[in-house]
Amino acid sequence: NTRFQILNCRLQVKTKGILGRFRKKTHHLSLINLSTTGIQAISSEPLHNKKEYEIALRASAYPKPIIAKGRVIWQLPYKTSNQKQCYRIGLEFTYFKQHTINRIVYLERNPHLRGIKTN
């Protein structure tokens, strides 16, 4: 799958919490790239491997966020140039509605919204 970057994009992931409602924790991640199968992002704290998260991707092309569910399939710790600990994370989509994929494909095909394609 082709991965691509989206300009002016914000990404949030939330844990489900007890019964899916209480004690949800929101993580704000920096998007690296996106495809129709998942997301690569940077987090200031680790996420739980294999755990499913609610994903909200906010792109300037849409007034409402792109919503999906995904699980962490890999993460790599690293230190930034100022020695801050961060994590590069791969999230695989586990659930989404058809219009979610349609919106992602639109972002991929729109050269005004897209950054550099990556592999």
Side-chain angles (χ1 to χ4, degrees):
N1 258 349
T2 301
R3 296 194 156 279
F4 56 95
Q5 296 172 342
I6 298 297
L7 305 174
N8 302 320
C9 193
R10 292 179 293 151
L11 178 65
Q12 293 178 335
V13 295
K14 292 182 184 178
T15 57
K16 286 187 163 186
I18 301 168
L19 301 176
R21 296 182 179 193
F22 304 107
R23 295 196 174 168
K24 285 185 180 183
K25 181 170 183 181
T26 301
H27 302 271
H28 299 276
L29 282 66
S30 297
L31 180 72
I32 296 173
N33 58 43
L34 172 67
S35 77
T36 55
T37 59
I39 292 171
Q40 188 176 161
I42 294 175
S43 176
S44 61
E45 56 188 319
L47 299 181
H48 297 283
N49 282 329
K50 309 294 183 199
K51 185 170 185 165
E52 189 173 65
Y53 289 87
E54 297 172 3
I55 300 168
L57 180 70
R58 297 182 186 277
S60 60
Y62 301 114
K64 293 185 178 180
I66 297 171
I67 302 295
K69 290 183 183 176
R71 73 170 177 263
V72 175
I73 56 171
W74 60 266
Q75 62 184 320
L76 301 169
Y78 74 95
K79 292 204 188 240
T80 63
S81 59
N82 63 355
Q83 299 303 306
K84 182 180 175 189
Q85 182 70 51
C86 288
Y87 299 85
R88 193 169 181 137
I89 296 173
L91 291 156
E92 176 182 58
F93 292 132
T94 56
Y95 175 80
F96 48 79
K97 295 183 178 177
Q98 183 58 46
H99 72 274
T100 296
I101 289 299
N102 294 343
R103 292 168 87 187
I104 291 171
V105 168
Y106 172 78
L107 291 174
E108 177 184 11
R109 292 181 179 166
N110 189 322
H112 301 290
L113 302 171
R114 189 186 55 208
I116 302 166
K117 283 190 178 185
T118 59
N119 291 329

